[in-house]
Amino acid sequence: MRQVSCSVSSGGVMTDSKTADSGYNKLQNTKVWLVSDQKEVEITSLWGDDDHAFLVFARSMGCNFCQQLARELKQDVLPKLQGRGIKLFLVSMGPPERGLEFAQLTGFPADQLLADPENLSYDRLQLKNSGPFWTFFDPRTPLTLAKRAAKDGLKSTVNALANWRPWIPTKKGQAHQQGGAFLFHGKQLLWDHYDEATGAHAEPEMILERAAELV
């Protein structure tokens, strides 16, 4: 696997090594819950210096878009990453016991699912909090839906709505929190994507494109 020596932001802009290191440094000593074991772990302990690892941040576990994202990652992304020895963890806001229900609902592996009930990792990475208005009325959300309609006629979204479990966030403000995606090689941040609006997450194709650049 070829090591990528620079970092690429979601906009394709190269960043220097200080910026590349900051993502890892911000997450150091941040604890989340490993859902399969129902225990706290330090998030940066989940991969080693020689590992490539994606951290994908969903919104809360009750978000329909996030339940849909978990299903897509399980079906379209995890098998291909595992074949290349690349790790992926999905982080979502909610209590760890709800994470077990989330894993059962979506099929996403509980041993790769991280619960962050206090949104500590989101705060450390300064992921966007849209506020009450823009969470639901940002024009980029319907644009995202339009792209999915062009891809599959919104079939995946309709299926997700049919099985939606609208769990309420446990902490004030979490309903307005957006997610993101990060690719690390050891302590170096290679790529990041900050979700700008509800539903505008890093698509599976985008994650696979970044993974393909590593080999």
Side-chain angles (χ1 to χ4, degrees):
M1 183 171 290
R2 179 175 61 86
Q3 179 176 346
V4 179
S5 60
C6 59
S7 173
V8 183
S9 73
S10 55
V13 179
M14 298 295 180
T15 57
D16 59 28
S17 58
K18 181 177 179 181
T19 304
D21 289 341
S22 64
Y24 183 92
N25 292 340
K26 287 177 180 177
L27 287 174
Q28 278 191 304
N29 303 315
T30 302
K31 290 188 176 182
V32 294
W33 289 79
L34 182 61
V35 168
S36 60
D37 295 351
Q38 294 289 287
K39 70 177 184 180
E40 280 190 303
V41 295
E42 186 178 335
I43 194 167
T44 56
S45 71
L46 294 170
W47 67 92
D49 289 343
D50 295 327
D51 290 328
H52 287 91
F54 284 96
L55 285 183
V56 180
F57 290 81
R59 300 177 66 239
S60 71
M61 294 182 187
C63 168
N64 173 57
F65 290 111
C66 302
Q67 293 172 14
Q68 179 182 353
L69 173 62
R71 293 186 181 97
E72 292 174 349
L73 291 173
K74 163 66 166 57
Q75 178 177 327
D76 302 329
V77 177
L78 288 184
K80 294 177 181 177
L81 294 189
Q82 289 167 351
R84 298 175 182 175
I86 302 171
K87 296 184 176 184
L88 183 145
F89 298 95
L90 177 63
V91 189
S92 189
M93 292 173 292
E97 58 272 19
R98 182 173 295 163
L100 292 172
E101 296 180 76
F102 183 93
Q104 184 176 18
L105 176 69
T106 63
F108 193 87
D111 60 354
Q112 293 172 260
L113 179 61
L114 307 175
D116 187 351
E118 300 296 325
N119 53 274
L120 297 176
S121 57
Y122 294 74
D123 292 345
R124 291 285 182 89
L125 290 170
Q126 298 177 301
L127 295 175
K128 182 177 180 179
N129 191 299
S130 300
F133 180 83
W134 289 108
T135 296
F136 303 104
F137 298 105
D138 192 302
R140 284 168 289 199
T141 297
L143 285 174
T144 297
L145 290 174
K147 289 180 182 178
R148 291 178 188 163
K151 183 170 68 174
D152 69 354
L154 284 180
K155 180 180 179 180
S156 59
T157 301
V158 171
N159 290 340
L161 284 170
N163 297 289
W164 183 26
R165 293 290 298 276
W167 291 301
I168 298 173
T170 56
K171 185 179 176 183
K172 184 178 179 181
Q174 286 184 341
H176 313 137
Q177 180 67 57
Q178 304 299 339
F182 300 80
L183 171 59
F184 292 94
H185 179 247
K187 297 179 181 179
Q188 186 180 18
L189 175 64
L190 302 181
W191 168 78
D192 59 34
H193 173 95
Y194 287 78
D195 298 358
E196 290 294 330
T198 302
H201 51 248
E203 296 290 343
E205 296 85 355
M206 186 184 299
I207 293 172
L208 291 175
E209 285 173 3
R210 299 290 81 78
E213 295 171 357
L214 300 175
V215 295

